[in-house]
Amino acid sequence: MEIVTVSNADSLYKQSPGHEERGRDIFRVPDFIVFQKGREIGRIVESPVTSLEKDLLSIVSGEPYTPHYQGGALLADIFRREKVEKVKKHLPELTERLRPLVSSSGELSSYARVLQASGQQEKAEIVRDLNGRLFPGK
């Protein structure tokens, strides 16, 4: 087990001293990331769904497991696969895909802050735009 701490300062938001978080899409903490042979097989985000023990057992057993904050996870996956320009063209459809996955504006706000602090301004703006579409007036 390895424990990595992250900063709460605006300029280093959710970044660790050695930048072990890079490429891990951490926007809520703590994240318990489970690896097998160097590959991520699952994670518990912020808090367990059932209990820490049962959630970890589901992950290591290969059972289906869905952590909290699926909206942010979906966006992170889309940003890994698609160019920013393509994402921008599909904001209305993406908003509807996110609607059942995001329960509060805080989820996407924290993801936008992580993107901003890591120098990914364009992606951060897209996430803020989507957040505004999902939660107008917040």
Side-chain angles (χ1 to χ4, degrees), residues 1 8 20 22 28 36 38 40 51 87-88 96 99 101-103 106 109-110 121 124 130 137:
M1 179 182 284
N8 196 32
E20 296 87 351
R22 279 197 188 131
R28 297 298 251 189
Q36 185 174 58
E40 181 178 331
S51 73
V87 176
K88 283 182 180 179
E96 293 314 308
R99 197 171 300 286
L101 302 176
V102 180
S103 59
S109 291
S110 64
Q121 277 64 291
L130 288 163

Side-chain angles (χ1 to χ4, degrees), residues 69-87:
Y69 305 107
Q70 286 301 293
L74 173 65
L75 284 173
D77 184 55
I78 289 170
F79 285 139
R80 273 192 301 277
R81 293 183 290 109
E82 305 291 346
K83 293 188 183 292
V84 170
E85 295 77 26
K86 184 175 180 180
V87 176

Side-chain angles (χ1 to χ4, degrees), residues 116-134:
Q116 185 77 37
S118 66
Q120 300 178 69
Q121 277 64 291
E122 205 168 11
K123 290 178 182 178
E125 288 173 21
I126 290 170
V127 174
R128 282 194 213 72
D129 184 349
L130 288 163
N131 211 18
R133 291 168 186 250
L134 292 167

Side-chain angles (χ1 to χ4, degrees), residues 1-43:
M1 179 182 284
E2 180 179 355
I3 296 175
V4 177
T5 60
V6 294
S7 176
N8 196 32
D10 285 340
S11 63
L12 298 170
Y13 190 65
K14 303 258 194 300
Q15 295 179 34
S16 62
H19 294 289
E20 296 87 351
E21 82 292 339
R22 279 197 188 131
R24 303 263 185 245
D25 300 314
I26 295 171
F27 58 95
R28 297 298 251 189
V29 291
D31 263 22
F32 290 87
I33 305 175
V34 181
F35 295 92
Q36 185 174 58
K37 297 181 181 176
R39 186 179 73 78
E40 181 178 331
I41 61 170
R43 69 172 66 191

